[in-house]
PDB file of all heavy atoms in Angstrom:
ATOM      1  N   TYR A 304       9.093  -6.940  -5.603  1.00 96.00           N
ATOM      2  CA  TYR A 304       7.974  -6.117  -5.957  1.00 96.00           C
ATOM      3  C   TYR A 304       7.298  -5.552  -4.709  1.00 96.00           C
ATOM      4  O   TYR A 304       7.320  -6.161  -3.627  1.00 96.00           O
ATOM      5  CB  TYR A 304       6.929  -7.049  -6.762  1.00 96.00           C
ATOM      6  CG  TYR A 304       7.535  -7.397  -8.134  1.00 96.00           C
ATOM      7  CD1 TYR A 304       8.326  -8.493  -8.332  1.00 96.00           C
ATOM      8  CD2 TYR A 304       7.333  -6.452  -9.231  1.00 96.00           C
ATOM      9  CE1 TYR A 304       8.904  -8.693  -9.575  1.00 96.00           C
ATOM     10  CE2 TYR A 304       7.904  -6.671 -10.421  1.00 96.00           C
ATOM     11  CZ  TYR A 304       8.708  -7.826 -10.629  1.00 96.00           C
ATOM     12  OH  TYR A 304       9.301  -8.037 -11.874  1.00 96.00           O
ATOM     13  N   ALA A 305       6.746  -4.370  -4.836  1.00 95.00           N
ATOM     14  CA  ALA A 305       6.059  -3.661  -3.778  1.00 95.00           C
ATOM     15  C   ALA A 305       4.794  -4.376  -3.356  1.00 95.00           C
ATOM     16  O   ALA A 305       4.315  -5.296  -4.026  1.00 95.00           O
ATOM     17  CB  ALA A 305       5.817  -2.268  -4.207  1.00 95.00           C
ATOM     18  N   LEU A 337       2.806  -6.834   9.175  1.00 95.00           N
ATOM     19  CA  LEU A 337       3.775  -6.622   8.145  1.00 95.00           C
ATOM     20  C   LEU A 337       4.275  -7.966   7.578  1.00 95.00           C
ATOM     21  O   LEU A 337       4.524  -8.108   6.413  1.00 95.00           O
ATOM     22  CB  LEU A 337       4.911  -5.792   8.648  1.00 95.00           C
ATOM     23  CG  LEU A 337       4.534  -4.362   8.997  1.00 95.00           C
ATOM     24  CD1 LEU A 337       5.626  -3.652   9.711  1.00 95.00           C
ATOM     25  CD2 LEU A 337       3.994  -3.547   7.769  1.00 95.00           C
ATOM     26  N   GLU A 338       4.378  -8.914   8.463  1.00 95.00           N
ATOM     27  CA  GLU A 338       4.827 -10.294   8.068  1.00 95.00           C
ATOM     28  C   GLU A 338       3.854 -10.905   7.070  1.00 95.00           C
ATOM     29  O   GLU A 338       4.198 -11.489   5.955  1.00 95.00           O
ATOM     30  CB  GLU A 338       4.886 -11.185   9.281  1.00 95.00           C
ATOM     31  CG  GLU A 338       5.314 -12.576   9.127  1.00 95.00           C
ATOM     32  CD  GLU A 338       6.835 -12.725   8.719  1.00 95.00           C
ATOM     33  OE1 GLU A 338       7.601 -11.737   8.875  1.00 95.00           O
ATOM     34  OE2 GLU A 338       7.217 -13.811   8.249  1.00 95.00           O
ATOM     35  N   ALA A 339       2.479 -10.737   7.317  1.00 96.00           N
ATOM     36  CA  ALA A 339       1.501 -11.235   6.414  1.00 96.00           C
ATOM     37  C   ALA A 339       1.599 -10.508   5.056  1.00 96.00           C
ATOM     38  O   ALA A 339       1.511 -11.241   3.969  1.00 96.00           O
ATOM     39  CB  ALA A 339       0.107 -10.986   7.023  1.00 96.00           C
ATOM     40  N   ILE A 340       1.767  -9.274   5.050  1.00 96.00           N
ATOM     41  CA  ILE A 340       1.835  -8.439   3.831  1.00 96.00           C
ATOM     42  C   ILE A 340       3.028  -8.777   3.036  1.00 96.00           C
ATOM     43  O   ILE A 340       2.984  -9.064   1.753  1.00 96.00           O
ATOM     44  CB  ILE A 340       1.827  -6.999   4.060  1.00 96.00           C
ATOM     45  CG1 ILE A 340       0.465  -6.585   4.770  1.00 96.00           C
ATOM     46  CG2 ILE A 340       1.890  -6.175   2.812  1.00 96.00           C
ATOM     47  CD1 ILE A 340       0.514  -5.164   5.350  1.00 96.00           C
ATOM     48  N   PHE A 341       4.290  -8.832   3.667  1.00 94.00           N
ATOM     49  CA  PHE A 341       5.479  -8.876   2.902  1.00 94.00           C
ATOM     50  C   PHE A 341       6.130 -10.237   2.793  1.00 94.00           C
ATOM     51  O   PHE A 341       6.964 -10.447   1.926  1.00 94.00           O
ATOM     52  CB  PHE A 341       6.483  -7.848   3.451  1.00 94.00           C
ATOM     53  CG  PHE A 341       6.038  -6.424   3.239  1.00 94.00           C
ATOM     54  CD1 PHE A 341       5.407  -5.687   4.280  1.00 94.00           C
ATOM     55  CD2 PHE A 341       6.250  -5.872   1.984  1.00 94.00           C
ATOM     56  CE1 PHE A 341       4.987  -4.425   4.041  1.00 94.00           C
ATOM     57  CE2 PHE A 341       5.795  -4.548   1.786  1.00 94.00           C
ATOM     58  CZ  PHE A 341       5.170  -3.800   2.794  1.00 94.00           C
ATOM     59  N   HIS A 342       5.775 -11.180   3.705  1.00 93.00           N
ATOM     60  CA  HIS A 342       6.490 -12.506   3.687  1.00 93.00           C
ATOM     61  C   HIS A 342       5.519 -13.684   3.424  1.00 93.00           C
ATOM     62  O   HIS A 342       5.813 -14.398   2.520  1.00 93.00           O
ATOM     63  CB  HIS A 342       7.229 -12.631   4.978  1.00 93.00           C
ATOM     64  CG  HIS A 342       8.388 -11.677   5.025  1.00 93.00           C
ATOM     65  ND1 HIS A 342       9.427 -11.713   4.219  1.00 93.00           N
ATOM     66  CD2 HIS A 342       8.531 -10.521   5.834  1.00 93.00           C
ATOM     67  CE1 HIS A 342      10.266 -10.668   4.450  1.00 93.00           C
ATOM     68  NE2 HIS A 342       9.710 -10.034   5.400  1.00 93.00           N
ATOM     69  N   THR A 343       4.500 -13.835   4.237  1.00 95.00           N
ATOM     70  CA  THR A 343       3.711 -15.024   4.072  1.00 95.00           C
ATOM     71  C   THR A 343       2.626 -14.816   2.972  1.00 95.00           C
ATOM     72  O   THR A 343       1.977 -15.756   2.546  1.00 95.00           O
ATOM     73  CB  THR A 343       3.013 -15.450   5.363  1.00 95.00           C
ATOM     74  OG1 THR A 343       2.204 -14.367   5.845  1.00 95.00           O
ATOM     75  CG2 THR A 343       4.014 -15.846   6.487  1.00 95.00           C
ATOM     76  N   HIS A 344       2.484 -13.566   2.571  1.00 95.00           N
ATOM     77  CA  HIS A 344       1.478 -13.207   1.530  1.00 95.00           C
ATOM     78  C   HIS A 344       0.098 -13.858   1.838  1.00 95.00           C
ATOM     79  O   HIS A 344      -0.535 -14.452   1.034  1.00 95.00           O
ATOM     80  CB  HIS A 344       1.962 -13.725   0.116  1.00 95.00           C
ATOM     81  CG  HIS A 344       3.009 -12.808  -0.439  1.00 95.00           C
ATOM     82  ND1 HIS A 344       3.099 -12.539  -1.820  1.00 95.00           N
ATOM     83  CD2 HIS A 344       3.952 -12.034   0.115  1.00 95.00           C
ATOM     84  CE1 HIS A 344       4.049 -11.656  -2.048  1.00 95.00           C
ATOM     85  NE2 HIS A 344       4.618 -11.429  -0.892  1.00 95.00           N
ATOM     86  N   THR A 345      -0.256 -13.584   3.070  1.00 95.00           N
ATOM     87  CA  THR A 345      -1.589 -14.009   3.557  1.00 95.00           C
ATOM     88  C   THR A 345      -2.435 -12.837   4.061  1.00 95.00           C
ATOM     89  O   THR A 345      -1.855 -11.743   4.171  1.00 95.00           O
ATOM     90  CB  THR A 345      -1.489 -15.052   4.780  1.00 95.00           C
ATOM     91  OG1 THR A 345      -0.508 -14.412   5.709  1.00 95.00           O
ATOM     92  CG2 THR A 345      -0.876 -16.325   4.302  1.00 95.00           C
ATOM     93  N   LEU A 346      -3.660 -13.065   4.283  1.00 96.00           N
ATOM     94  CA  LEU A 346      -4.543 -11.950   4.669  1.00 96.00           C
ATOM     95  C   LEU A 346      -4.233 -11.547   6.151  1.00 96.00           C
ATOM     96  O   LEU A 346      -4.278 -12.399   7.037  1.00 96.00           O
ATOM     97  CB  LEU A 346      -5.963 -12.429   4.690  1.00 96.00           C
ATOM     98  CG  LEU A 346      -7.067 -11.532   4.063  1.00 96.00           C
ATOM     99  CD1 LEU A 346      -6.609 -10.982   2.727  1.00 96.00           C
ATOM    100  CD2 LEU A 346      -8.361 -12.340   3.965  1.00 96.00           C
ATOM    101  N   PRO A 347      -3.902 -10.257   6.354  1.00 96.00           N
ATOM    102  CA  PRO A 347      -3.658  -9.865   7.812  1.00 96.00           C
ATOM    103  C   PRO A 347      -4.797 -10.112   8.654  1.00 96.00           C
ATOM    104  O   PRO A 347      -5.901  -9.727   8.246  1.00 96.00           O
ATOM    105  CB  PRO A 347      -3.263  -8.387   7.631  1.00 96.00           C
ATOM    106  CG  PRO A 347      -2.970  -8.130   6.252  1.00 96.00           C
ATOM    107  CD  PRO A 347      -3.748  -9.202   5.425  1.00 96.00           C
ATOM    108  N   PRO A 379      -0.831  -8.079   0.670  1.00 97.00           N
ATOM    109  CA  PRO A 379       0.199  -8.649  -0.134  1.00 97.00           C
ATOM    110  C   PRO A 379      -0.067  -8.455  -1.619  1.00 97.00           C
ATOM    111  O   PRO A 379      -1.248  -8.306  -2.030  1.00 97.00           O
ATOM    112  CB  PRO A 379       0.011 -10.171   0.189  1.00 97.00           C
ATOM    113  CG  PRO A 379      -0.833 -10.248   1.364  1.00 97.00           C
ATOM    114  CD  PRO A 379      -1.599  -8.981   1.456  1.00 97.00           C
ATOM    115  N   ASN A 380       0.930  -8.377  -2.451  1.00 97.00           N
ATOM    116  CA  ASN A 380       0.726  -8.389  -3.889  1.00 97.00           C
ATOM    117  C   ASN A 380       0.345  -9.793  -4.313  1.00 97.00           C
ATOM    118  O   ASN A 380       0.157 -10.683  -3.491  1.00 97.00           O
ATOM    119  CB  ASN A 380       1.943  -7.802  -4.667  1.00 97.00           C
ATOM    120  CG  ASN A 380       3.185  -8.720  -4.512  1.00 97.00           C
ATOM    121  OD1 ASN A 380       3.101  -9.919  -4.508  1.00 97.00           O
ATOM    122  ND2 ASN A 380       4.346  -8.056  -4.448  1.00 97.00           N
ATOM    123  N   LEU A 381       0.088 -10.000  -5.648  1.00 97.00           N
ATOM    124  CA  LEU A 381      -0.439 -11.258  -6.063  1.00 97.00           C
ATOM    125  C   LEU A 381       0.544 -12.358  -6.302  1.00 97.00           C
ATOM    126  O   LEU A 381       0.243 -13.390  -6.782  1.00 97.00           O
ATOM    127  CB  LEU A 381      -1.250 -11.018  -7.380  1.00 97.00           C
ATOM    128  CG  LEU A 381      -2.388 -10.052  -7.244  1.00 97.00           C
ATOM    129  CD1 LEU A 381      -3.090  -9.713  -8.603  1.00 97.00           C
ATOM    130  CD2 LEU A 381      -3.503 -10.590  -6.320  1.00 97.00           C
ATOM    131  N   GLN A 382       1.852 -12.126  -5.983  1.00 95.00           N
ATOM    132  CA  GLN A 382       2.854 -13.096  -6.102  1.00 95.00           C
ATOM    133  C   GLN A 382       2.487 -14.347  -5.397  1.00 95.00           C
ATOM    134  O   GLN A 382       2.215 -14.244  -4.161  1.00 95.00           O
ATOM    135  CB  GLN A 382       4.262 -12.605  -5.717  1.00 95.00           C
ATOM    136  CG  GLN A 382       5.043 -11.988  -6.830  1.00 95.00           C
ATOM    137  CD  GLN A 382       6.390 -11.441  -6.389  1.00 95.00           C
ATOM    138  OE1 GLN A 382       6.417 -10.753  -5.356  1.00 95.00           O
ATOM    139  NE2 GLN A 382       7.349 -11.766  -7.080  1.00 95.00           N
ATOM    140  N   GLY A 383       2.505 -15.469  -6.019  1.00 88.00           N
ATOM    141  CA  GLY A 383       2.186 -16.731  -5.302  1.00 88.00           C
ATOM    142  C   GLY A 383       0.694 -17.027  -5.241  1.00 88.00           C
ATOM    143  O   GLY A 383       0.289 -18.109  -4.930  1.00 88.00           O
ATOM    144  N   ASN A 384      -0.111 -16.039  -5.616  1.00 83.00           N
ATOM    145  CA  ASN A 384      -1.542 -16.235  -5.702  1.00 83.00           C
ATOM    146  C   ASN A 384      -2.168 -16.877  -4.448  1.00 83.00           C
ATOM    147  O   ASN A 384      -2.973 -17.831  -4.643  1.00 83.00           O
ATOM    148  CB  ASN A 384      -1.924 -17.047  -6.947  1.00 83.00           C
ATOM    149  CG  ASN A 384      -2.109 -16.147  -8.100  1.00 83.00           C
ATOM    150  OD1 ASN A 384      -2.536 -14.963  -7.951  1.00 83.00           O
ATOM    151  ND2 ASN A 384      -1.676 -16.633  -9.278  1.00 83.00           N
ATOM    152  N   ARG A 385      -1.782 -16.442  -3.265  1.00 87.00           N
ATOM    153  CA  ARG A 385      -2.230 -17.210  -2.045  1.00 87.00           C
ATOM    154  C   ARG A 385      -3.577 -16.745  -1.608  1.00 87.00           C
ATOM    155  O   ARG A 385      -4.215 -17.264  -0.718  1.00 87.00           O
ATOM    156  CB  ARG A 385      -1.203 -17.052  -0.935  1.00 87.00           C
ATOM    157  CG  ARG A 385       0.104 -17.653  -1.399  1.00 87.00           C
ATOM    158  CD  ARG A 385       0.925 -18.118  -0.284  1.00 87.00           C
ATOM    159  NE  ARG A 385       2.219 -18.420  -0.825  1.00 87.00           N
ATOM    160  CZ  ARG A 385       3.384 -17.996  -0.391  1.00 87.00           C
ATOM    161  NH1 ARG A 385       3.392 -17.280   0.704  1.00 87.00           N
ATOM    162  NH2 ARG A 385       4.472 -18.354  -0.965  1.00 87.00           N
ATOM    163  N   ILE A 386      -4.131 -15.620  -2.170  1.00 95.00           N
ATOM    164  CA  ILE A 386      -5.357 -15.053  -1.669  1.00 95.00           C
ATOM    165  C   ILE A 386      -6.328 -15.115  -2.843  1.00 95.00           C
ATOM    166  O   ILE A 386      -6.044 -14.563  -3.926  1.00 95.00           O
ATOM    167  CB  ILE A 386      -5.204 -13.661  -1.112  1.00 95.00           C
ATOM    168  CG1 ILE A 386      -4.224 -13.675   0.098  1.00 95.00           C
ATOM    169  CG2 ILE A 386      -6.538 -13.039  -0.721  1.00 95.00           C
ATOM    170  CD1 ILE A 386      -3.846 -12.288   0.554  1.00 95.00           C
TER     171      ILE A 386
END
Side-chain angles (χ1 to χ4, degrees):
Y304 290 89
L337 295 172
E338 182 68 15
I340 297 168
F341 292 98
H342 294 292
T343 56
H344 281 216
T345 48
L346 223 47
N380 66 34
L381 299 173
Q382 270 179 310
N384 273 326
R385 298 207 190 128
I386 298 173

